Amino acid sequence: MSPTDGQDLPGLPTQRPFVTVDVAIFGVLQDELQVLLVQRPSLATEPYPGLWALPGGFIDVSADDSLEACARRKLAVKTGAVAPYLEQVGSWGSKARDPRGWSTTHLYFALLPADSIQLVPGANAADVRWWPVAGAGVRGRLAFDHAKLLAAAVERLRAKVEYTSLPAFLLPREFTLPDLQRAYEIVLGRPVEKSAFRTRVLAAGVVEPIDRQRQTGKRPAQLYRLASRSEPIYFPRTFEPKRD
Amino acid sequence: MSPTDGQDLPGLPTQRPFVTVDVAIFGVLQDELQVLLVQRPSLATEPYPGLWALPGGFIDVSADDSLEACARRKLAVKTGAVAPYLEQVGSWGSKARDPRGWSTTHLYFALLPADSIQLVPGANAADVRWWPVAGAGVRGRLAFDHAKLLAAAVERLRAKVEYTSLPAFLLPREFTLPDLQRAYEIVLGRPVEKSAFRTRVLAAGVVEPIDRQRQTGKRPAQLYRLASRSEPIYFPRTFEPKRD
DNA sequence: TTCTTATAGTGGTACTGTGCAACTTAACAA
DNA sequence: TTGTTAAGTTGCACAGTACCACTATAAGAA
């Protein structure tokens, strides 16, 4: 048995992977699902200089109390906001994923109303930008294995949108049912049937009407807000579209 | 900005959490869902001496190529077998969860036919035993935050059993539909209706009949095996029991 | 004023997968 | 032959979704 193996050692292993947290931050801008990426600094001493990557970085063992706290901190640093929804996607770790050595990352994804935030390039990133999500990722090469991570986050998001109220967290506090329907369509990348959608959302108690409407030039639309602003609703069934 | 923060540092952080992988290994024994636990050595130098814990331990950066490979290795060491199903539950990390310092763990769960394996106490564990799963965990105190980890694994397992064929991985290669139904009932902790269950399983193409039956004294039962021995099937809907 | 247009919202029927209860079938044993 | 028991089937009810057609409400044009 290898000397670094196991909880039974009197001491801790001296060779440890380094540990990072990455966050895929999603928003809806210009009627598209977009993800926030940061450009890595163009220093030859850095891996993947100048390439775009998911926001994230090393755990700070003196500043962060937990993984999730670390994710929330990184999110706040980039957006200046507290995201209404944050979920862990999973973790990845291997000898090969970072040229600097054995590394692990803990991946989270966040949803937020894109109009509510300010982008903050910050000290450790050359630039910050929203990128449209096309298919399972974005156009262009990403640093490290971030294309794979992003694909996993997008897949998780789309899967859960089939049976939860997650897209509501992409909207501002007050919204109409057509707004919400559109958010579903943008994330899923396919049309959603109006009548069934409304029945589903109202029957599940996702939203409650406020006593105001939105005037748009045509028939005004009832405004709603979330019944529960922190927890998503789970619908009894997924969508079941006939034609694909 | 803290000196250990960020990918932008020329160097890597010197203070790193230590990294472990834990595996919740589930099986069905004596008509009960059980989980494999190891007893920690009774050395005063070890945290939680003598307590039971999920099998797992430190990543071995020289032996393990990836997190999942590490999980498979730990699984093989304890059971001497390759589990037909392994899935990551998630990761946890904090300053407080291990008295030795900031630590992270990557939690997996595995399903296997309990009769197919040999328990291997091994060098780094005083004992290995199956423990019945009662509610969200096991009777008795576990080391570290393993009660929370086990609860998360059990919750994930039960949730997926509602809409997948996962319990099939708890059975031997050949089984009858009543066997499979019983596995669902054991994991879910509630009865499952025979007729709807059979329709569901057969319509989804989970199994294929072999041309043999099992004689039990009463009417013989058709034997089946999995159509796909590696991937679970996702049913179009969850169970929808009327009375709870 | 009326007509047109566009979006919001409703109603009605079909369909699918599940729940449930009653039934039939196959083997064994008394 | 009959009774027992577990395996397997049949038929109907039900809930939630899909789809299509319809009505409602505002603004602006005619």
Side-chain angles (χ1 to χ4, degrees):
Chain A
M1 177 169 173
S2 126
T4 55
D5 178 16
Q7 298 172 329
D8 57 317
L9 273 187
L12 299 170
T14 49
Q15 292 279 72
R16 307 179 187 178
F18 56 90
V19 178
T20 65
V21 168
D22 294 306
V23 190
I25 304 168
F26 295 105
V28 169
L29 292 93
Q30 293 129 26
D31 222 40
E32 278 187 303
L33 179 65
Q34 308 215 19
V35 63
L36 200 64
L37 298 180
V38 302
Q39 190 175 28
R40 295 183 52 77
S42 298
L43 301 169
T45 54
E46 288 280 328
Y48 302 100
L51 277 194
W52 292 82
L54 295 169
F58 300 116
I59 293 260
D60 180 344
V61 296
S62 56
D64 296 315
D65 274 357
S66 70
L67 289 178
E68 188 172 318
C70 177
R72 287 191 192 284
R73 178 175 62 83
K74 292 182 187 299
L75 208 151
V77 163
K78 291 299 171 217
T79 66
V82 176
Y85 188 78
L86 181 70
E87 167 179 331
Q88 192 187 80
V89 178
S91 57
W92 281 259
S94 75
K95 189 180 298 193
R97 58 180 296 277
D98 188 308
R100 295 168 292 188
W102 228 110
S103 71
T104 65
T105 194
H106 305 266
L107 175 65
Y108 288 77
F109 84 86
L111 303 178
L112 43 77
D115 54 327
S116 74
I117 65 153
Q118 276 283 331
L119 297 193
V120 182
N124 52 351
D127 201 1
V128 188
R129 250 185 56 193
W130 288 106
W131 288 71
V133 173
V138 297
R139 302 174 77 82
R141 185 172 161 232
L142 296 187
F144 306 103
D145 55 358
H146 285 196
K148 184 172 76 180
L149 301 188
L150 176 57
V154 169
E155 187 187 9
R156 169 74 65 88
L157 171 61
R158 294 220 173 100
K160 288 195 98 160
V161 166
E162 296 281 354
Y163 60 93
T164 67
S165 62
L166 284 194
F169 296 113
L170 295 165
L171 299 179
R173 268 270 289 299
E174 301 180 351
F175 54 86
T176 67
L177 288 190
D179 288 343
L180 184 55
Q181 182 183 340
R182 188 69 197 125
Y184 273 85
E185 293 174 338
I186 287 170
V187 175
L188 292 174
R190 68 163 193 259
V192 165
E193 207 278 324
K194 177 174 51 165
S195 172
F197 176 78
R198 298 174 66 93
T199 309
R200 177 177 158 100
V201 167
L202 293 174
V206 173
V207 296
E208 47 198 26
I210 62 178
D211 76 353
R212 216 145 26 84
Q213 305 191 325
R214 172 182 302 158
Q215 312 292 341
T216 67
K218 309 301 170 184
R219 176 173 176 174
Q222 176 65 47
L223 281 166
Y224 293 85
R225 65 171 157 242
L226 280 182
S228 164
R229 206 128 73 76
S230 52
E231 290 298 308
I233 299 287
Y234 287 74
F235 297 112
R237 300 195 192 153
T238 65
F239 291 111
E240 300 169 2
K242 311 283 183 200
R243 25 171 181 268
D244 225 309
Chain B
M1 177 170 171
S2 125
T4 53
D5 179 16
Q7 299 174 329
D8 56 318
L9 274 187
L12 299 171
T14 49
Q15 291 280 73
R16 304 179 189 177
F18 56 91
V19 178
T20 64
V21 168
D22 294 306
V23 190
I25 304 167
F26 294 106
V28 169
L29 292 94
Q30 291 128 27
D31 221 39
E32 278 187 302
L33 180 65
Q34 307 215 18
V35 62
L36 200 64
L37 298 180
V38 301
Q39 190 174 28
R40 295 182 54 75
S42 297
L43 301 169
T45 54
E46 288 279 326
Y48 300 100
L51 277 192
W52 292 82
L54 294 169
F58 300 116
I59 293 260
D60 180 345
V61 296
S62 57
D64 297 315
D65 274 356
S66 70
L67 290 179
E68 189 172 318
C70 177
R72 287 191 191 283
R73 179 176 60 83
K74 291 182 187 301
L75 208 152
V77 163
K78 291 300 172 215
T79 67
V82 176
Y85 188 78
L86 181 70
E87 165 178 333
Q88 192 188 79
V89 178
S91 58
W92 282 260
S94 76
K95 189 180 300 191
R97 58 179 296 278
D98 188 308
R100 294 168 292 189
W102 229 110
S103 71
T104 65
T105 194
H106 305 265
L107 176 64
Y108 288 77
F109 84 84
L111 303 179
L112 44 77
D115 55 327
S116 75
I117 65 154
Q118 275 283 332
L119 297 192
V120 183
N124 53 350
D127 201 1
V128 188
R129 251 184 57 192
W130 288 104
W131 287 71
V133 173
V138 116
R139 299 173 80 82
R141 188 173 159 229
L142 297 187
F144 306 105
D145 55 357
H146 286 196
K148 184 171 77 180
L149 301 188
L150 175 56
V154 169
E155 186 186 10
R156 168 75 63 87
L157 171 61
R158 294 222 174 99
K160 288 196 98 160
V161 166
E162 295 282 353
Y163 59 93
T164 67
S165 62
L166 284 195
F169 295 112
L170 295 165
L171 299 179
R173 270 269 292 298
E174 302 180 350
F175 53 86
T176 66
L177 289 189
D179 288 343
L180 184 55
Q181 182 183 339
R182 188 67 196 130
Y184 273 84
E185 293 175 335
I186 288 169
V187 175
L188 292 174
R190 67 164 194 259
V192 165
E193 208 279 323
K194 178 175 52 167
S195 169
F197 177 78
R198 298 174 65 95
T199 309
R200 179 177 158 99
V201 167
L202 293 174
V206 173
V207 295
E208 47 197 24
I210 62 177
D211 76 354
R212 212 142 32 81
Q213 306 190 324
R214 173 181 301 158
Q215 311 293 340
T216 67
K218 309 299 170 186
R219 176 172 178 176
Q222 176 65 47
L223 280 166
Y224 293 85
R225 64 171 158 241
L226 280 181
S228 164
R229 207 128 74 78
S230 52
E231 290 298 307
I233 299 288
Y234 288 73
F235 298 111
R237 301 195 191 154
T238 65
F239 291 111
E240 302 169 2
K242 309 287 184 198
R243 27 170 179 263
D244 223 310

